[in-house]
Amino acid sequence: MTAFRSERPSDPDTHVHTLANGVRVLTIVQPHLESACVSVYVRTGSRHESARLNGISHVVEHMAFKGTRTRDCQQINLDAEQLGAEANAHTDKDHTAYHLRGLAQHAPQFIRMLGDIVLESQFPESELERERQVILQEYLEDEDDALSTAFKLFDEACYGRHALAQPVIGKRRNIERFSRDELMGYVQRQYTGANVIVAVCGPVDPQAMAAQAEAVFGAMPAGAPNLIAAPAYLGGVRTKRMSGSSQTHVVLGFPVPTQCDPDMPAAVMAATVFGEGMSSPLLDRVRERLGLVYYAGCSADVSDLAGQFVIEASTTPEHLDALFTEVTTLLQAQAVSIDPVHLERARNQLAVRSVRARERSQRRLEGAAQDLFVFGRVRPSGEWMERIASIDADEVRLQFERMLAAPVSAAITGKVPAGTKERCQHRLASLQSPSA
């Protein structure tokens, strides 16, 4: 007799089984495919790390493929590639994920192979020293990237010393120091049943996938959900000059509702209205009409802990002041009224984005897994679209009004002229004083 509980979300192709130890088995049946994606999501990332351990989730993800109790690194690679499968993994602020994609008939084997990697990795000392050098190269590449640096400084401006502001790549001194025992201890604490989702997408049998997952993951310790307190939003301006850069990179934004807030969809709509696509107010003004930038964009980055309305742009130093002037003017205009044409454009852009995400197996799996972590259920596809369809212009306008009443956060990197921070602070202060 199996020891899992079955649940049926609203979408008929989506199935969730919960094992006795809390591991959830998510299956999305797509009979029109011949391939299958199998992923294991673990609810642990840089936001779950102490300052001393910042970067350890990412190191664990790298090292998980370097040897288990029964397979060395070479055998792990060969086992996947003999089946024609693609192996991959990634680490984010809120989760770590391991993936295999190949023929649907091999999905049960993929569950076993990923289970071996997630549950039985041994982090061999010799492999750790080699991989440490690889990760340090990745760290240096990230440090040299002016826009990536701007985003890290932006997070610090938003959340200060809270773990949510920590970079996924971590700190260099930590990467250089992490020991095998630290990696093993971190996995033992964080990789527990309450924080694991085994996810499968393709032409597969949900009951068979649940049974296979139970055989592999059923003995995993149950543990408790990896939860942390939400940060306070701070605001402020950060700058960093970077030699060798001829451009100035800007990231600025405001707090918006979290993923769990009913107003969150209106914040996403606001970002889409403001800066998605060449016809949006942001791109049309600063790129098409004034030529101040080659690249600019706007997005709403929301999680269960916090939300950010983010504007990013790359310009030249002589255009920086003009860029800030135009962006602040555009933001103030949105807080007064929303053009119905742009509202309809944004609504359709979000609809297409949602449809395309559902058509991409890996993207759909990740979205469903995030739903399970945050809401405890997989939201039906129509729920998001119904909410987007219901948002009116005044809801979006109100989002801009609330944002402009909150502290602004900004980061400027690359070629940063003298006095930039002070001029930026002065210009952004006018957002709270529209008459200035």
Side-chain angles (χ1 to χ4, degrees):
M1 182 176 178
T2 57
F4 52 74
R5 181 176 75 256
S6 298
E7 303 157 17
R8 287 300 305 273
S10 298
D11 284 346
D13 62 355
T14 303
H15 306 253
V16 178
H17 300 83
T18 303
L19 307 186
N21 62 353
V23 172
R24 283 164 286 189
V25 186
L26 165 68
T27 308
I28 300 176
V29 181
Q30 294 187 314
H32 60 286
L33 299 180
E34 295 183 30
S35 65
C37 295
V38 179
S39 299
V40 176
Y41 296 94
V42 187
R43 194 179 197 181
T44 193
S46 58
R47 77 181 196 181
H48 300 93
E49 301 163 350
S50 65
R52 178 175 170 77
L53 292 182
N54 182 212
I56 197 169
S57 301
H58 181 242
V59 175
V60 165
E61 175 234 306
H62 272 249
M63 286 299 301
F65 292 87
K66 298 302 178 181
T68 68
R69 293 184 189 277
T70 58
R71 299 188 296 164
D72 61 17
C73 173
Q74 287 68 36
Q75 193 64 51
I76 289 171
N77 293 332
L78 182 59
D79 286 349
E81 291 171 4
Q82 274 190 310
L83 299 177
E86 300 172 8
N88 207 344
H90 73 266
T91 308
D92 210 325
K93 286 182 179 287
D94 61 348
H95 72 277
T96 306
Y98 303 87
H99 315 286
L100 280 169
R101 180 170 188 164
L103 297 176
Q105 67 200 59
H106 295 144
Q109 289 168 263
F110 296 160
I111 293 174
R112 293 195 296 272
M113 291 160 69
L114 287 176
D116 185 47
I117 289 167
V118 171
L119 301 174
E120 302 294 342
S121 287
Q122 296 299 293
F123 311 116
E125 294 279 7
S126 59
E127 292 287 352
L128 176 57
E129 293 312 310
R130 277 193 290 269
E131 197 63 21
R132 195 190 309 276
Q133 300 309 311
V134 172
I135 297 170
L136 285 170
Q137 291 295 323
E138 184 180 355
Y139 174 87
L140 291 173
E141 184 176 322
D142 186 68
E143 280 290 286
D144 289 342
D145 187 322
L147 189 55
S148 176
T149 300
F151 271 100
K152 286 184 285 186
L153 291 176
F154 175 73
D155 282 342
E156 287 182 14
C158 291
Y159 307 123
R161 294 182 178 274
H162 190 279
L164 190 59
Q166 295 185 145
V168 172
I169 191 70
K171 299 180 178 70
R172 179 171 185 158
R173 63 179 179 272
N174 290 351
I175 299 169
E176 292 173 335
R177 190 204 73 244
F178 286 139
S179 67
R180 177 180 182 272
D181 286 346
E182 284 178 300
L183 302 186
M184 295 288 284
Y186 185 76
V187 168
Q188 186 175 20
R189 293 191 302 274
Q190 301 296 109
Y191 283 48
T192 59
N195 300 291
V196 168
I197 295 170
V198 181
V200 186
C201 189
V204 295
D205 175 15
Q207 293 293 328
M209 296 301 101
Q212 184 65 69
E214 182 183 33
V216 175
F217 291 87
M220 193 175 200
N226 294 333
L227 302 177
I228 62 171
Y233 184 91
L234 303 176
V237 178
R238 304 282 196 280
T239 62
K240 183 177 182 179
R241 294 179 185 172
M242 302 179 68
S243 61
S245 180
S246 59
Q247 281 193 304
T248 305
H249 303 275
V250 178
V251 180
L252 68 92
F254 308 86
V256 293
T258 69
Q259 196 172 2
C260 305
D261 193 303
D263 285 337
M264 181 274 289
V268 174
M269 181 75 86
T272 309
V273 164
F274 188 72
E276 183 168 321
M278 298 299 287
S279 66
S280 66
L282 176 65
L283 272 295
D284 182 63
R285 183 65 180 169
V286 302
R287 188 189 194 280
E288 297 298 285
R289 297 183 185 274
L290 297 178
L292 297 176
V293 304
Y294 169 69
Y295 169 74
C298 183
S299 61
D301 185 1
V302 296
S303 72
D304 55 325
L305 292 185
Q308 296 168 314
F309 183 95
V310 184
I311 301 165
E312 55 180 302
S314 298
T315 187
T316 52
E318 62 269 23
H319 289 147
L320 183 59
D321 289 345
L323 175 64
F324 273 113
T325 296
E326 295 300 331
V327 169
T328 53
T329 300
L330 288 169
L331 287 167
Q332 288 168 339
Q334 303 306 308
V336 174
S337 67
I338 301 297
D339 187 326
V341 172
H342 285 304
L343 183 65
E344 185 63 17
R345 167 187 56 80
R347 199 187 313 280
N348 289 330
Q349 285 173 315
L350 289 173
V352 171
R353 189 193 305 172
S354 179
V355 168
R356 291 184 65 184
R358 286 181 60 80
E359 291 174 347
R360 296 169 57 197
S361 299
Q362 196 72 64
R363 180 66 191 88
R364 189 172 175 198
L365 267 189
E366 184 159 336
Q370 293 283 50
D371 273 3
L372 280 178
F373 282 140
V374 174
F375 302 107
R377 66 186 181 96
V378 180
R379 294 174 295 176
S381 56
E383 185 173 303
W384 172 254
M385 294 312 303
E386 287 172 7
R387 179 68 181 99
I388 290 299
S390 72
I391 296 171
D392 61 25
D394 199 55
E395 278 187 88
V396 177
R397 185 199 62 75
L398 189 58
Q399 287 298 314
F400 283 97
E401 186 177 287
R402 289 172 176 168
M403 283 190 290
L404 298 188
V408 63
S409 298
I412 307 166
T413 62
K415 192 169 185 178
V416 182
T420 292
K421 182 173 183 178
E422 292 73 23
R423 292 197 305 276
C424 172
Q425 289 171 325
H426 176 74
R427 185 60 203 163
L428 294 177
S430 70
L431 286 169
Q432 272 111 21
S433 304
S435 60

